[in-house]
PDB file of all heavy atoms in Angstrom:
ATOM      1  N   PHE Z  76      -1.347  12.526 -13.625  1.00  0.00           N
ATOM      2  CA  PHE Z  76      -1.790  13.493 -12.625  1.00  0.00           C
ATOM      3  C   PHE Z  76      -0.580  14.183 -12.014  1.00  0.00           C
ATOM      4  O   PHE Z  76       0.435  13.552 -11.719  1.00  0.00           O
ATOM      5  CB  PHE Z  76      -2.583  12.794 -11.518  1.00  0.00           C
ATOM      6  CG  PHE Z  76      -3.888  12.246 -11.998  1.00  0.00           C
ATOM      7  CD1 PHE Z  76      -3.992  10.946 -12.435  1.00  0.00           C
ATOM      8  CD2 PHE Z  76      -5.021  13.045 -12.028  1.00  0.00           C
ATOM      9  CE1 PHE Z  76      -5.178  10.437 -12.891  1.00  0.00           C
ATOM     10  CE2 PHE Z  76      -6.218  12.552 -12.489  1.00  0.00           C
ATOM     11  CZ  PHE Z  76      -6.305  11.234 -12.927  1.00  0.00           C
ATOM     12  N   THR Z  77      -0.707  15.484 -11.788  1.00  0.00           N
ATOM     13  CA  THR Z  77       0.365  16.239 -11.141  1.00  0.00           C
ATOM     14  C   THR Z  77       0.280  16.024  -9.632  1.00  0.00           C
ATOM     15  O   THR Z  77      -0.746  15.572  -9.107  1.00  0.00           O
ATOM     16  CB  THR Z  77       0.231  17.744 -11.444  1.00  0.00           C
ATOM     17  OG1 THR Z  77      -0.983  18.223 -10.848  1.00  0.00           O
ATOM     18  CG2 THR Z  77       0.239  18.016 -12.936  1.00  0.00           C
ATOM     19  N   ASP Z  78       1.347  16.367  -8.947  1.00  0.00           N
ATOM     20  CA  ASP Z  78       1.364  16.260  -7.486  1.00  0.00           C
ATOM     21  C   ASP Z  78       0.266  17.117  -6.865  1.00  0.00           C
ATOM     22  O   ASP Z  78      -0.391  16.709  -5.909  1.00  0.00           O
ATOM     23  CB  ASP Z  78       2.723  16.675  -6.928  1.00  0.00           C
ATOM     24  CG  ASP Z  78       3.821  15.684  -7.261  1.00  0.00           C
ATOM     25  OD1 ASP Z  78       3.511  14.543  -7.631  1.00  0.00           O
ATOM     26  OD2 ASP Z  78       4.986  16.085  -7.136  1.00  0.00           O
ATOM     27  N   GLN Z  79       0.054  18.313  -7.427  1.00  0.00           N
ATOM     28  CA  GLN Z  79      -0.971  19.209  -6.897  1.00  0.00           C
ATOM     29  C   GLN Z  79      -2.363  18.605  -7.058  1.00  0.00           C
ATOM     30  O   GLN Z  79      -3.181  18.673  -6.152  1.00  0.00           O
ATOM     31  CB  GLN Z  79      -0.900  20.575  -7.589  1.00  0.00           C
ATOM     32  CG  GLN Z  79      -1.875  21.585  -7.039  1.00  0.00           C
ATOM     33  CD  GLN Z  79      -1.640  21.886  -5.565  1.00  0.00           C
ATOM     34  OE1 GLN Z  79      -0.501  22.038  -5.138  1.00  0.00           O
ATOM     35  NE2 GLN Z  79      -2.701  21.951  -4.786  1.00  0.00           N
ATOM     36  N   GLU Z  80      -2.624  17.992  -8.205  1.00  0.00           N
ATOM     37  CA  GLU Z  80      -3.931  17.350  -8.420  1.00  0.00           C
ATOM     38  C   GLU Z  80      -4.145  16.204  -7.445  1.00  0.00           C
ATOM     39  O   GLU Z  80      -5.229  16.057  -6.872  1.00  0.00           O
ATOM     40  CB  GLU Z  80      -4.053  16.842  -9.856  1.00  0.00           C
ATOM     41  CG  GLU Z  80      -4.222  17.930 -10.878  1.00  0.00           C
ATOM     42  CD  GLU Z  80      -4.199  17.400 -12.299  1.00  0.00           C
ATOM     43  OE1 GLU Z  80      -3.507  16.406 -12.572  1.00  0.00           O
ATOM     44  OE2 GLU Z  80      -4.894  17.987 -13.141  1.00  0.00           O
ATOM     45  N   LEU Z  81      -3.111  15.395  -7.244  1.00  0.00           N
ATOM     46  CA  LEU Z  81      -3.228  14.278  -6.300  1.00  0.00           C
ATOM     47  C   LEU Z  81      -3.474  14.798  -4.887  1.00  0.00           C
ATOM     48  O   LEU Z  81      -4.304  14.261  -4.153  1.00  0.00           O
ATOM     49  CB  LEU Z  81      -1.978  13.404  -6.345  1.00  0.00           C
ATOM     50  CG  LEU Z  81      -1.810  12.575  -7.612  1.00  0.00           C
ATOM     51  CD1 LEU Z  81      -0.431  11.954  -7.661  1.00  0.00           C
ATOM     52  CD2 LEU Z  81      -2.880  11.517  -7.715  1.00  0.00           C
ATOM     53  N   ASN Z  82      -2.775  15.837  -4.503  1.00  0.00           N
ATOM     54  CA  ASN Z  82      -2.976  16.413  -3.173  1.00  0.00           C
ATOM     55  C   ASN Z  82      -4.354  17.055  -3.039  1.00  0.00           C
ATOM     56  O   ASN Z  82      -4.979  16.957  -1.990  1.00  0.00           O
ATOM     57  CB  ASN Z  82      -1.880  17.425  -2.848  1.00  0.00           C
ATOM     58  CG  ASN Z  82      -0.553  16.759  -2.578  1.00  0.00           C
ATOM     59  OD1 ASN Z  82      -0.508  15.604  -2.177  1.00  0.00           O
ATOM     60  ND2 ASN Z  82       0.524  17.469  -2.808  1.00  0.00           N
ATOM     61  N   ASP Z  83      -4.831  17.691  -4.102  1.00  0.00           N
ATOM     62  CA  ASP Z  83      -6.173  18.277  -4.069  1.00  0.00           C
ATOM     63  C   ASP Z  83      -7.236  17.193  -3.947  1.00  0.00           C
ATOM     64  O   ASP Z  83      -8.185  17.329  -3.177  1.00  0.00           O
ATOM     65  CB  ASP Z  83      -6.446  19.106  -5.329  1.00  0.00           C
ATOM     66  CG  ASP Z  83      -5.688  20.420  -5.344  1.00  0.00           C
ATOM     67  OD1 ASP Z  83      -5.217  20.844  -4.260  1.00  0.00           O
ATOM     68  OD2 ASP Z  83      -5.546  21.007  -6.425  1.00  0.00           O
ATOM     69  N   MET Z  84      -7.078  16.118  -4.709  1.00  0.00           N
ATOM     70  CA  MET Z  84      -8.059  15.034  -4.693  1.00  0.00           C
ATOM     71  C   MET Z  84      -8.182  14.404  -3.318  1.00  0.00           C
ATOM     72  O   MET Z  84      -9.277  14.119  -2.855  1.00  0.00           O
ATOM     73  CB  MET Z  84      -7.652  13.925  -5.672  1.00  0.00           C
ATOM     74  CG  MET Z  84      -8.126  14.122  -7.061  1.00  0.00           C
ATOM     75  SD  MET Z  84      -7.833  12.647  -8.031  1.00  0.00           S
ATOM     76  CE  MET Z  84      -6.095  12.766  -8.380  1.00  0.00           C
ATOM     77  N   PHE Z  85      -7.061  14.180  -2.703  1.00  0.00           N
ATOM     78  CA  PHE Z  85      -7.068  13.439  -1.445  1.00  0.00           C
ATOM     79  C   PHE Z  85      -6.857  14.344  -0.245  1.00  0.00           C
ATOM     80  O   PHE Z  85      -6.504  13.902   0.826  1.00  0.00           O
ATOM     81  CB  PHE Z  85      -6.062  12.298  -1.521  1.00  0.00           C
ATOM     82  CG  PHE Z  85      -6.371  11.407  -2.680  1.00  0.00           C
ATOM     83  CD1 PHE Z  85      -5.596  11.419  -3.817  1.00  0.00           C
ATOM     84  CD2 PHE Z  85      -7.500  10.618  -2.657  1.00  0.00           C
ATOM     85  CE1 PHE Z  85      -5.916  10.625  -4.904  1.00  0.00           C
ATOM     86  CE2 PHE Z  85      -7.830   9.824  -3.739  1.00  0.00           C
ATOM     87  CZ  PHE Z  85      -7.038   9.833  -4.864  1.00  0.00           C
ATOM     88  N   ARG Z  86      -7.067  15.636  -0.460  1.00  0.00           N
ATOM     89  CA  ARG Z  86      -7.113  16.644   0.590  1.00  0.00           C
ATOM     90  C   ARG Z  86      -5.911  16.588   1.532  1.00  0.00           C
ATOM     91  O   ARG Z  86      -6.049  16.585   2.732  1.00  0.00           O
ATOM     92  CB  ARG Z  86      -8.420  16.536   1.365  1.00  0.00           C
ATOM     93  CG  ARG Z  86      -9.592  16.928   0.509  1.00  0.00           C
ATOM     94  CD  ARG Z  86     -10.879  16.341   1.035  1.00  0.00           C
ATOM     95  NE  ARG Z  86     -12.011  16.670   0.209  1.00  0.00           N
ATOM     96  CZ  ARG Z  86     -12.401  15.970  -0.850  1.00  0.00           C
ATOM     97  NH1 ARG Z  86     -11.700  14.944  -1.234  1.00  0.00           N
ATOM     98  NH2 ARG Z  86     -13.456  16.301  -1.534  1.00  0.00           N
ATOM     99  N   CYS Z  87      -4.763  16.500   0.920  1.00  0.00           N
ATOM    100  CA  CYS Z  87      -3.527  16.461   1.696  1.00  0.00           C
ATOM    101  C   CYS Z  87      -2.697  17.693   1.381  1.00  0.00           C
ATOM    102  O   CYS Z  87      -1.498  17.611   1.185  1.00  0.00           O
ATOM    103  CB  CYS Z  87      -2.730  15.207   1.365  1.00  0.00           C
ATOM    104  SG  CYS Z  87      -3.569  13.710   1.814  1.00  0.00           S
ATOM    105  N   ASN Z  88      -3.336  18.813   1.272  1.00  0.00           N
ATOM    106  CA  ASN Z  88      -2.629  20.037   0.945  1.00  0.00           C
ATOM    107  C   ASN Z  88      -1.751  20.445   2.114  1.00  0.00           C
ATOM    108  O   ASN Z  88      -2.223  20.624   3.219  1.00  0.00           O
ATOM    109  CB  ASN Z  88      -3.604  21.167   0.610  1.00  0.00           C
ATOM    110  CG  ASN Z  88      -4.369  20.874  -0.656  1.00  0.00           C
ATOM    111  OD1 ASN Z  88      -3.836  20.256  -1.560  1.00  0.00           O
ATOM    112  ND2 ASN Z  88      -5.604  21.322  -0.711  1.00  0.00           N
TER     113      ASN Z  88
END
Side-chain angles (χ1 to χ4, degrees):
F76 293 93
T77 65
D78 290 343
Q79 183 61 43
E80 288 174 328
L81 289 170
N82 288 335
D83 287 343
M84 273 190 282
F85 303 106
R86 292 158 182 87
C87 296
N88 294 327

